Amino acid sequence: MLKAKVLIVGPSECGKTTLSNFLADATENIGGEYSPTQGVRILEFECPNVNGNKGPGCEVELWDCGGDHKFESCWPALMKDSHGVIIVFNSDIPSHLKEIEIWHSNFIHQQRFQENQCLLIAHLKPGSGDQTEKPELSSALAKLPLVHSNLEEDPEDVRLEFVKYLRGVISSLSESRDREEMSIIT
């Protein structure tokens, strides 16, 4: 069974921990009092349906990274051996649209991830209203797949989009492993 390390990054207070807990089935409660993540939390779980009904699925390490820039010196260690990045933001907060460009530059551009290894999630916090319009993104961010997340209204849509994203990550991971095995053989 393949093991994928996926980072969830983005500005403070955008809902990374809530989303991480939901995707890992780590909690029933999607609301609650805000408590900033200090550094990183690692959630491990299996995703059996990532390949449809074919194959064993995969193990996922979901790294819920704190959004405070005081942890920036830790970013290289967090990125080591990662297979994918999810950038979460709240498009209701104008500063988040500018700040996610920094996250993109540090976590996606520098790591040279392919588009299928990246995902943008415009997360709607509980009680925030409706979010259907596409946010104005820079050209680099606009190339990435964008998912609108509303865990109150459409939680299973978010989970399905995550599984679809994970398929791309697993595909890249599998191709990389195959290339490595071929280089050893030849």
Side-chain angles (χ1 to χ4, degrees), residues 67-136:
D68 194 322
H69 285 278
K70 70 181 179 185
F71 301 114
E72 194 168 346
S73 63
C74 301
W75 290 357
L78 299 177
M79 290 184 267
K80 183 174 177 15
D81 299 327
S82 61
H83 304 111
V85 174
I86 298 172
I87 297 177
V88 181
F89 66 100
N90 182 340
S91 60
D92 289 338
I93 302 173
S95 63
H96 281 196
L97 292 174
K98 191 70 179 155
E99 197 174 333
I100 59 174
E101 292 181 32
I102 296 166
W103 294 97
H104 176 271
S105 174
N106 284 287
F107 283 86
I108 294 174
H109 181 71
Q110 287 182 14
Q111 295 298 305
R112 294 188 174 97
F113 278 123
Q114 299 168 17
E115 287 178 21
N116 67 340
Q117 294 173 281
C118 308
L119 184 64
L120 276 178
I121 298 181
H123 183 66
L124 187 64
K125 292 177 119 179
S128 299
D130 188 26
Q131 178 189 29
T132 54
E133 61 192 50
K134 187 172 180 168
E136 289 187 34

Side-chain angles (χ1 to χ4, degrees), residues 107-178:
F107 283 86
I108 294 174
H109 181 71
Q110 287 182 14
Q111 295 298 305
R112 294 188 174 97
F113 278 123
Q114 299 168 17
E115 287 178 21
N116 67 340
Q117 294 173 281
C118 308
L119 184 64
L120 276 178
I121 298 181
H123 183 66
L124 187 64
K125 292 177 119 179
S128 299
D130 188 26
Q131 178 189 29
T132 54
E133 61 192 50
K134 187 172 180 168
E136 289 187 34
L137 301 170
S138 68
S139 59
L141 289 167
K143 294 176 186 172
L144 301 178
L146 173 67
V147 172
H148 290 278
S149 165
N150 185 336
L151 298 181
E152 287 183 322
E153 301 289 324
D154 301 310
E156 288 314 306
D157 286 354
V158 175
R159 193 178 310 279
L160 289 172
E161 290 294 335
F162 175 71
V163 170
K164 189 166 81 174
Y165 160 74
L166 208 48
R167 283 187 187 121
V169 170
I170 293 300
S171 174
S172 293
L173 181 57
S174 182
E175 288 170 14
S176 175
R177 186 186 63 182
D178 291 347

